Amino acid sequence: MCMNKNQAWSLYWQNNILESCIATGAIEDGAKLASIWNQFAQQLTTKSTVLDLATGNGSVPINLLTSQQNLQVTGVDFADISPKKFSLNNTLLTNVDFVPKVDIADLPFKEHSFDVVTSQFGFEYADNTLAAQEFIRVLKTSGKFLLIIHHTDSEVVKPARVKIEELTLLCEKSELFNQFECYLKDEFSLVDLEQSGKQFLAQNQGKVSKAISGQFFSNINSLIDLKEQLTPNTELLVLFTDMQTRIEAERSRLTQLVSASLSVNEMADFCDMLKKLGAELDCQLVTLPSDGAILAWQVSGVKHEL
Ligand SMILES: C[S@@+](CC[C@H](N)C(=O)[O-])C[C@H]1O[C@@H](n2cnc3c(N)ncnc32)[C@H](O)[C@@H]1O
């Protein structure tokens, strides 16, 4: 099954999810990004126009509006987003103008349209050079920007690499999906299927986790129970295809995340490029309050006319 990049995100944002990249379970870590945006919003003039790039379900707009309710925020994303329909019942979202299916490398806005440009784990998913030229173009002179960008060694990117390996094991390096589909079509026995599942787990000890393989096997068990209850095979095949689609979407999103992340050298090149486009900027690491590990890059600055 081949999953289109946008499809993977469109599906994801329909799930009433606000964040896509929570690093750890620690409460203070979860609050770290929110506090960066809250502080940034407090430095902005009331009624500033803000463009949030690759906005998802509006995590950045919500954090900005929590501190400054009068900001005029537009959020764009390549995915078919509709946060007012799918996101948590957050009243702050009613003040945001969300525009789906926008490639941030080709923004549908005139030059000097916004006082502020923001992005959280979004900018770097696009063609960096084109997206940089575009956001600088639509930013007013003396306009501010703040970008939170994936770091190759962050506590978001490192676990994503491990998850991709496990999903690849399940999806590509095992016959489990094919065998299960055959079982649903009465072409493979339950005994052989169970044997195959046990073999997979035994061969991949240390590489499989409760979160991914555990969930996969528990979903498979639920489908087996349904089949035993004589649920029609056609319904089961639909449920199975839906499960496969969600697993492929997860793999696609994680693969995009890892390849979007910037190393130290790539960030240095990126900052040089922004400076050449007229930006005066500061680049620092965002670290986790719980243990000081890397969470992301933070690039902030102001646009000057060249
Ligand atoms: C990791 S999510 C971040 C979403 C949001 N900023 C947040 O922090 O929750 C990355 C987002 O980038 C979007 N994206 C990827 N490539 C894009 C592009 N070329 N133009 C616009 N959005 C893009 C995806 O659709 C996805 O919603």
Side-chain angles (χ1 to χ4, degrees):
M1 185 182 293
C2 190
M3 168 84 43
N4 162 315
K5 286 182 182 180
N6 294 336
Q7 238 180 318
W9 284 109
S10 301
L11 204 63
Y12 182 79
W13 295 123
Q14 289 171 11
N15 286 321
N16 199 9
I17 293 169
L18 185 57
E19 304 280 356
S20 63
C21 296
I22 299 286
T24 67
I27 294 170
E28 69 269 35
D29 290 346
K32 177 79 190 193
L33 293 176
S35 84
I36 291 176
W37 294 111
N38 294 160
Q39 280 171 26
F40 182 64
Q42 282 159 23
Q43 298 162 21
L44 305 177
T45 319
T46 322
K47 295 198 175 166
S48 290
T49 50
V50 181
L51 174 64
D52 185 44
L53 304 171
T55 193
N57 266 351
S59 168
V60 172
I62 287 173
N63 281 324
L64 294 174
L65 290 163
T66 302
S67 287
Q68 269 262 35
Q69 302 226 344
N70 293 321
L71 296 172
Q72 296 169 42
V73 188
T74 302
V76 296
D77 200 290
F78 215 175
D80 194 7
I81 53 161
S82 187
K84 291 175 195 171
K85 183 169 163 198
F86 293 117
S87 196
L88 301 162
N89 202 9
N90 194 319
T91 49
L92 289 172
L93 288 179
T94 52
N95 301 334
V96 183
D97 184 17
F98 285 108
V99 192
K101 299 179 186 172
V102 169
D103 184 354
I104 59 171
D106 185 15
L107 289 170
F109 305 107
K110 291 193 180 136
E111 56 191 41
H112 302 126
S113 296
F114 295 93
D115 299 310
V116 179
V117 170
T118 56
S119 173
Q120 171 179 285
F121 300 135
F123 175 87
E124 64 275 36
Y125 285 73
D127 179 308
N128 288 188
T129 307
L130 294 177
Q133 286 166 355
E134 278 298 83
F135 97 72
I136 294 285
R137 179 182 69 77
V138 302
L139 192 56
K140 292 180 185 170
T141 305
S142 304
K144 292 183 178 167
F145 61 89
L146 173 55
L147 313 172
I148 300 290
I149 292 179
H150 284 304
H151 187 300
T152 40
D153 298 322
S154 77
E155 294 309 306
V156 177
V157 177
K158 283 194 290 185
R161 283 198 197 94
V162 177
K163 283 187 195 165
I164 293 169
E165 266 180 48
E166 187 175 348
L167 288 169
T168 305
L169 265 183
L170 270 175
C171 301
E172 279 180 13
K173 299 195 176 157
S174 86
E175 281 298 312
L176 288 174
F177 278 105
N178 288 341
Q179 289 168 343
F180 189 72
E181 192 170 352
C182 290
Y183 159 75
L184 289 181
K185 293 177 179 165
D186 295 321
E187 294 164 5
F188 200 71
S189 77
L190 183 56
V191 175
D192 286 344
L193 186 67
E194 280 172 350
Q195 183 62 26
S196 192
K198 279 184 193 152
Q199 232 172 30
F200 172 82
L201 291 173
Q203 280 168 356
N204 295 299
Q205 267 178 10
K207 295 186 199 161
V208 294
S209 69
K210 273 192 188 156
I212 295 179
S213 297
Q215 216 178 353
F216 170 77
F217 280 105
S218 120
N219 284 339
I220 291 282
N221 283 337
S222 310
L223 289 176
I224 291 173
D225 287 346
L226 284 174
K227 185 164 154 62
E228 300 298 301
Q229 291 161 25
L230 300 176
T231 306
N233 284 0
T234 43
E235 272 178 39
L236 292 175
L237 280 167
V238 171
L239 289 173
F240 177 59
T241 307
D242 184 57
M243 185 181 96
Q244 269 184 304
T245 307
R246 286 180 186 279
I247 291 176
E248 270 308 329
E250 171 85 351
R251 192 153 73 118
S252 166
R253 288 190 304 99
L254 292 170
T255 307
Q256 290 176 57
L257 183 160
V258 171
S259 59
S261 63
L262 266 61
S263 65
V264 173
N265 287 342
E266 286 164 340
M267 180 47 82
D269 290 346
F270 176 63
C271 289
D272 283 347
M273 175 176 65
L274 284 183
K275 285 176 192 161
K276 284 185 189 137
L277 291 170
E280 181 188 322
L281 61 86
D282 174 55
C283 175
Q284 35 180 291
L285 287 177
V286 182
T287 53
L288 292 171
S290 57
D291 60 4
I294 297 172
L295 175 59
W297 295 107
Q298 175 177 340
V299 182
S300 56
V302 175
K303 170 184 169 178
H304 296 303
E305 277 314 310
L306 286 175

